[in-house]
Amino acid sequence: MDSGKENLKRALLWEPLNEQKKVQCGLCNWRCVINNGKTGKCCVRKNIDGTLYSLNYDKVIAANPDPVEKKPMFHFQPGSKSFSVATMGCNFQCEFCQNWQISQAAIENGVINGQAINPETIVAAAKRDGCKSIAYTYTEPTIYMELCNDCGQLAKEQGLANIFVSNGFMTIEAIDFASKWLDGINVDLKAFNKDFYKCLCKSQLQPVLDTISYIAKETNIWMEVTTLLIPGQNDSDEELKQFADFLVNNAGQDVPWHISRYYPQYKYQSSEPTPIKNIERAYEIGKSAGLRYIYFGNVHGSKSESTFCYECNELLIERMGYRIIANNIKDSMCPNCNTQIAGFEL
């Protein structure tokens, strides 16, 4: 093998363009056309002599058990552990990124650190640690789909579920490809205005909306949605109503919406932490729109970390941070009024 291709994994979901060895990547909605010797926007997929390779397959930067609630997934295997896996890289450049040290290093300075950990080792570690799932998280899983696919298939064979924590910018083809082994996803809907995505994320809104709609209507993947509320950027009453109305109409009333408090990070240091009153207002707007399950994130001790029955307001799951204090759900239903609680039947 050519020395430039050693330890590289042939990429998934791309096609040759037969034009000076150009290729087109089909994993995310940038659909990068990549010249020979160059990388795509994520900087972790490279065209070598007309073949697209993953540069991060053997560069695992994180592999450890987490509470599944940390993803956050509140209606999927509650109280269980999820083995969290990540590599460096991202297809966004969010100025407020919470994991910028590992998501942006490849883009900013070409660094892709990590260890070669094969899927067999990852799945064995997940089982050894008593995890019920593997979560592809911390950075954007789409850009290490090759590792996700190999781990995901093996995990399913071993009785484990698979979870994505994603910015939602993947193509329909990527969703369909992953749906064979992907059981749950948390999509980060960062804002409901194009300027936010363009200026603060160097990205686009519409493909994320398309992803949420497609997953909800065309797949069996359980979905939850997270919004990091940043003061003065995505928290006006008008925009919050757009969030909520979109979710109700396109993902359904049962989709859990996690509204997280922002703390200044990375390049976006000018903001104060999100006032609690802003999150409470978002909660009320979401409830008024018809969303049944709304949760606060990064607000430990709030009753809105817990799950309540939307019909009778019975406390179903009491949470303190990522810890479950009590789980009163019986056979996926409220024990008080027998209302079906979405997600828990999975």
Side-chain angles (χ1 to χ4, degrees), residues 98 136 175 208 221 235 238 270 272 279 282 287-288 299 307 313 316 319 327 336 341:
Q98 310 290 288
Y136 310 92
I175 297 170
V208 181
I221 300 168
D235 63 345
E238 178 184 4
S270 59
E272 61 176 335
I279 298 175
K287 282 292 186 180
S288 296
V299 187
T307 300
N313 206 38
L316 300 176
R319 297 183 182 87
N327 184 348
N336 184 57
I341 307 302

Side-chain angles (χ1 to χ4, degrees), residues 15-134:
E15 61 181 10
L17 295 182
N18 297 320
E19 179 187 343
Q20 297 178 334
K21 296 185 178 181
K22 289 183 180 180
V23 302
Q24 183 165 31
C25 181
L27 267 185
C28 85
N29 275 288
W30 291 124
R31 297 188 182 274
C32 294
V33 173
I34 308 172
N35 291 326
N36 186 24
K38 302 297 183 180
T39 62
K41 280 182 175 287
C42 63
C43 295
V44 295
R45 300 169 73 73
K46 186 174 183 178
N47 177 353
I48 302 177
D49 294 328
T51 299
L52 191 62
Y53 289 90
S54 165
L55 303 181
N56 57 0
Y57 184 88
D58 283 336
K59 298 291 182 68
V60 177
I61 197 67
N64 53 267
D66 274 332
V68 74
E69 285 79 13
K70 190 176 181 181
K71 301 303 105 190
M73 296 290 275
F74 278 18
H75 288 233
F76 187 93
Q77 300 179 337
S80 69
K81 290 189 293 184
S82 187
F83 198 78
S84 298
V85 176
T87 71
M88 283 184 151
C90 193
N91 50 2
F92 280 18
Q93 298 177 52
C94 299
E95 294 190 0
F96 49 86
C97 182
Q98 310 290 288
N99 293 315
W100 58 272
Q101 297 94 333
I102 58 175
S103 71
Q104 300 301 307
I107 295 173
E108 292 187 347
N109 50 38
V111 172
I112 310 174
N113 293 326
Q115 295 181 324
I117 307 177
N118 63 44
E120 291 78 11
T121 300
I122 290 170
V123 172
K127 295 186 72 175
R128 183 191 65 232
D129 288 338
C131 297
K132 293 183 69 174
S133 64
I134 295 178

Side-chain angles (χ1 to χ4, degrees), residues 190-264:
K190 300 175 185 293
F192 215 88
N193 70 80
K194 296 177 182 178
D195 288 343
F196 182 105
Y197 269 85
K198 180 180 179 181
C199 297
L200 293 182
C201 305
K202 306 297 186 291
S203 189
Q204 301 168 2
L205 168 62
Q206 189 58 50
V208 181
L209 302 181
D210 294 342
T211 289
I212 291 171
S213 298
Y214 187 81
I215 290 173
K217 296 173 182 178
E218 304 295 337
T219 79
N220 293 318
I221 300 168
W222 174 254
M223 180 169 57
E224 306 194 16
V225 174
T226 295
T227 299
L228 184 67
L229 216 60
I230 302 178
Q233 292 291 350
N234 61 354
D235 63 345
S236 69
D237 286 3
E238 178 184 4
E239 189 162 349
L240 292 169
K241 190 171 188 311
Q242 289 176 316
F243 273 117
D245 287 344
F246 170 81
L247 292 176
V248 168
N249 293 326
N250 293 272
Q253 291 178 285
D254 285 332
V255 65
W257 187 26
H258 301 265
I259 307 168
S260 291
R261 190 182 193 195
Y262 176 70
Y263 291 94

